[in-house]
Amino acid sequence: MTNALDAPDTPAGPGCPVTAAELPALRRRTSAVLIASQILGGLGVPIGIALAPVLATEVSGSETLSGLAPTASVTGTALLSLPLAALMTSRGRRPGLVLAYLIGALGAGLVVLATVVGSFPLLLLGMAGFGAGSSANLQARFAAADLAEPDRRGRAISTVIWATTIGSVLGPNIAAPAGHVFRGTSISETAGPFLMAAAIFLLAAVVVGLLLRPDPLLTARALAPQDGQSAGGRSLRAGLAAVRASPMARLALLTVAVSHTAMVSIMVMTPVHLGHHGADLQLIGLVISGHIAGMYAFSPVMGWLSDRFGRLAVIGLAAGLLSCAALLAGTAGPSHNQTAAGLFVLGLGWSAGLVSGSALLTDSVPQPTRAAVQGLSDLTMNTAAGIGGAVAGVIVSQASYGWLNAVGACLLLPMAALALRRALTRPAAA
């Protein structure tokens, strides 16, 4: 069944905030607002990625616990996924994104307070709230897909992901200068950048709250056929049923979960590994910046490949890139250059998996259930990554960083096998 998104010349239905003729301009406006918010979010989130393990070691006094801080952030992202999805399902994208950025700002403030009072539990609570910033950045990719034509969803998703590049590359590298501002105060140089992140999240909330109008999800619903548009059809339970009913949706869910888990598990322990081999905070920031550039800068390429050659082909590419990254990083030893190369390729693999998996997930379920399914996707991927991040610290402390990469590569086998099976049995499905 087609709708106004599939056929742009079809008049919009009664009560729709835009006509079909106005859709192209609305798509551009929505994309511009989401890009602006992603740039801001991209400045804030990587500060936690780069500094959380180091800060956890400082506060707890134990390297074994270093992986718990980034894990708390990922866990917070996961725990907030369903409540935010429920809010977006009932009220639209805008209130959900605004709330996520506000919670992220509060979490960043708690992180700073935790370092001042020396409380590791408070630090973990703050990092969990900080993870809401990641929730907003992740959900923005689906907001970009709400109004996109079906054959351009991959590119719509990837454009918003790409926008994160600007802030994400700058974020870790301005962490050190931002920290120097607090030299000689009760706030450590490692914690100081989190205050900057709080201000950035607040600004992102203002941008989305004022400018993301009309709401893209509510507009997409108004343009869609009214069949199945009941509140029950948009519930989280209905979303779960939609995933169970679609083999392709299950593959998409597995793809984003495995790609994210492999990336997070390896990435969160890389600063600790680099520190073992003499890297200072500036070098760690550069390596993480390169990794984040791999994650976001080439996402338009992944989106184009996904639309041009199919979602399954790019899922296969993701498995290959992530495996190569694990080999490079896992065998790098004291070579900072090889570790940096491995982290860059790790980012590319994550980008391929997230873009293709997100597009396939959106393709595979009915429009009324999409917001719920997308929230379920973020819950699944971040829960899995949270577990992976926690286990990563134990693996590194008890075995080695090389073994961590080997385990990460093994996680890719089910995803690659299922994608190959779907490609062989339904070569034209994606």
Side-chain angles (χ1 to χ4, degrees):
M1 183 179 292
T2 61
N3 58 40
L5 295 181
D6 302 305
D9 293 330
T10 302
C16 181
V18 296
T19 65
E22 295 171 329
L23 268 178
L26 178 58
R27 289 185 181 116
R28 291 191 295 270
R29 174 183 169 84
T30 299
S31 179
V33 174
L34 292 172
I35 285 172
S37 69
Q38 287 294 93
I39 292 173
L40 292 170
L43 276 170
V45 171
I47 289 174
I49 294 174
L51 300 180
V54 180
L55 198 58
T57 301
E58 289 181 4
V59 175
S60 70
S62 171
E63 186 176 286
T64 303
L65 299 177
S66 62
L68 291 183
T71 298
S73 178
V74 174
T75 302
T77 303
L79 291 176
L80 287 165
S81 297
L82 286 186
L84 289 174
L87 178 60
M88 291 182 189
T89 297
S90 62
R91 301 285 299 277
R93 298 290 185 191
R94 186 174 65 253
L97 293 176
V98 169
L99 179 61
Y101 280 126
L102 292 177
I103 295 174
L106 176 62
L110 289 178
V111 168
V112 177
L113 178 62
T115 62
V116 173
V117 301
S119 172
F120 188 65
L122 185 59
L123 173 68
L124 296 182
L125 178 62
M127 288 304 305
F130 186 84
S134 293
S135 293
N137 280 9
L138 289 171
Q139 283 292 323
R141 76 192 192 277
F142 290 126
D146 285 335
L147 296 174
E149 303 98 319
D151 62 350
R152 294 186 63 86
R153 282 191 185 122
R155 277 165 281 189
I157 291 170
S158 65
T159 297
V160 171
I161 294 175
W162 168 84
T164 315
T165 308
I166 300 172
S168 294
V169 172
L170 290 175
N173 290 295
I174 63 177
H180 293 163
V181 174
F182 298 91
R183 184 174 293 169
T185 71
S186 59
I187 299 175
S188 72
E189 292 186 37
T190 311
F194 281 88
L195 283 180
M196 180 184 71
I200 290 170
F201 286 156
L202 289 174
L203 181 58
V206 170
V207 169
V208 171
L210 293 179
L211 301 180
L212 194 63
R213 299 170 184 272
D215 190 282
L217 178 58
L218 300 183
T219 302
R221 284 185 186 154
L223 288 167
Q226 294 304 304
D227 296 341
Q229 289 282 356
S230 67
R234 299 196 298 263
S235 68
L236 294 175
R237 180 177 296 180
L240 183 60
V243 172
R244 288 174 175 168
S246 171
M248 285 298 184
R250 294 197 298 272
L251 171 59
L253 207 62
L254 180 65
T255 297
V256 294
V258 168
S259 299
H260 196 56
T261 301
M263 185 276 290
V264 169
S265 300
I266 295 171
M267 179 268 296
V268 296
M269 295 311 298
T270 299
V272 176
H273 168 73
L274 290 169
H276 284 164
H277 295 287
D280 58 15
L281 186 60
Q282 184 175 6
L283 178 57
I284 291 172
L286 287 172
V287 172
I288 295 299
S289 290
H291 166 66
I292 295 172
M295 290 173 66
Y296 299 118
F298 295 90
S299 57
V301 176
M302 303 304 177
W304 179 83
L305 290 173
S306 181
D307 288 338
R308 176 66 178 83
F309 297 103
R311 320 305 190 202
L312 295 179
V314 182
I315 290 173
L317 175 62
L321 288 169
L322 290 168
S323 298
C324 180
L327 177 63
L328 282 170
T331 60
S335 172
H336 297 325
N337 289 336
Q338 187 172 331
T339 301
L343 265 287
F344 176 75
V345 177
L346 184 71
L348 289 178
W350 176 88
S351 179
L354 188 74
V355 170
S356 59
S358 298
L360 180 60
L361 186 68
T362 304
D363 293 342
S364 303
V365 297
Q367 198 283 332
T369 64
R370 282 176 188 164
V373 169
Q374 290 157 355
L376 179 65
S377 169
D378 282 355
L379 170 67
T380 303
M381 66 186 275
N382 286 294
T383 298
I387 295 171
V391 173
V394 177
I395 293 175
V396 170
S397 63
Q398 299 299 318
S400 69
Y401 181 71
W403 273 107
L404 172 63
N405 280 270
V407 172
C410 290
L411 292 176
L412 303 169
L413 295 176
M415 178 185 86
L418 186 56
L420 179 61
R421 179 183 175 186
R422 296 298 177 205
L424 292 175
T425 57
R426 296 181 62 187

